Amino acid sequence: HTPKSMAHWWVSRGPPEAPAPPYGPTLALQRSIFALDLEMTLDYSQVTSVYGGPIMCFDRDHTEDPRDCTSNELSQPGFIGDTMKLVAMYIDESKDTRCTYNNTKGYFTVAEVFEAIVGFERINRPKTADCHHIFFEGLGRSIFDKEAFAISWGS
C-alpha cells in the first residue's frame, strides 16, 4: 500500500533514484538520447555510412526538453560491468551481429557506451536497409542471449 503523498510524488516527479544495477545500463544512460546519421545508396537499398549525432540529456524527471550533455554527464557510468555485449538478431542468422566491448574499470561511461553503439551500428546497419529507426531509446536484455543487450531504436 503506497501512501497517498508518495503516490502523488511518484506521478509528479517520477520514481526515486534507484541504486546502480549490478550489471547493465544505468539511469544516467536512460536520461541520454542521440540519433544516428545514416548515408544510403541512391536507391535506399543499403546503409553505406553511420555517424552518431550529438548526445543529448534530460533533466532528472524528464520535464524539460533535452539539452546538450555536460562533460560531467558524459563521464558518468552509463553501463555497469567489465564487459558489454551488444547483439542484433535476425530471422536470417547470417545477418546477426554480436560485439563484445571490454574495460578494466568496472563500467563504461555514457560517452563510451554511445561510442560502442555507433561502432556496433557501423557493422550492423549495412546488413539492413533500415534507415528509419535512428533514435536511441535504450538498451534491453536480449531474449536470445541473457548476457547480451539489444539496442532499441525508434523512428
Side-chain angles (χ1 to χ4, degrees):
H1 172 257
T2 304
K4 188 174 186 178
S5 62
M6 182 63 172
H8 174 72
W9 182 88
W10 184 280
V11 171
S12 64
R13 302 263 192 247
E17 288 291 320
Y23 175 70
T26 66
L27 289 170
L29 186 67
Q30 293 172 14
R31 287 195 295 263
S32 306
I33 61 170
F34 80 110
L36 292 176
D37 183 12
L38 306 175
E39 292 181 3
M40 304 286 297
T41 56
L42 289 176
D43 64 357
Y44 291 95
S45 64
Q46 187 176 12
V47 174
T48 58
S49 296
V50 177
Y51 305 96
I55 304 170
M56 306 294 285
C57 287
F58 287 100
D59 64 340
R60 181 171 290 203
D61 56 7
H62 286 247
T63 58
E64 303 290 327
D65 288 336
R67 56 178 168 65
D68 289 340
C69 294
T70 65
S71 59
N72 184 48
E73 289 169 321
L74 293 174
S75 65
Q76 295 296 311
F79 188 96
I80 304 298
D82 291 329
T83 301
M84 179 174 58
K85 295 180 181 180
L86 300 178
V87 298
M89 310 288 278
Y90 300 97
I91 293 172
D92 177 355
E93 291 180 11
S94 69
K95 292 185 177 183
D96 289 358
T97 302
R98 297 173 181 271
C99 293
T100 301
Y101 302 88
N102 298 298
N103 73 62
T104 57
K105 63 184 178 282
Y107 67 91
F108 296 83
T109 66
V110 170
E112 290 168 338
V113 172
F114 283 107
E115 184 179 318
I117 289 170
V118 171
F120 179 87
E121 290 300 329
R122 284 186 177 136
I123 298 166
N124 185 54
R125 289 293 173 126
K127 299 176 186 179
T128 75
D130 183 4
C131 63
H132 302 289
H133 298 93
I134 60 169
F135 298 102
F136 176 75
E137 293 184 341
L139 295 177
R141 290 243 187 222
S142 169
I143 60 172
F144 302 106
D145 180 347
K146 296 299 182 193
E147 294 182 7
F149 289 81
I151 305 166
S152 294
W153 295 105
S155 53

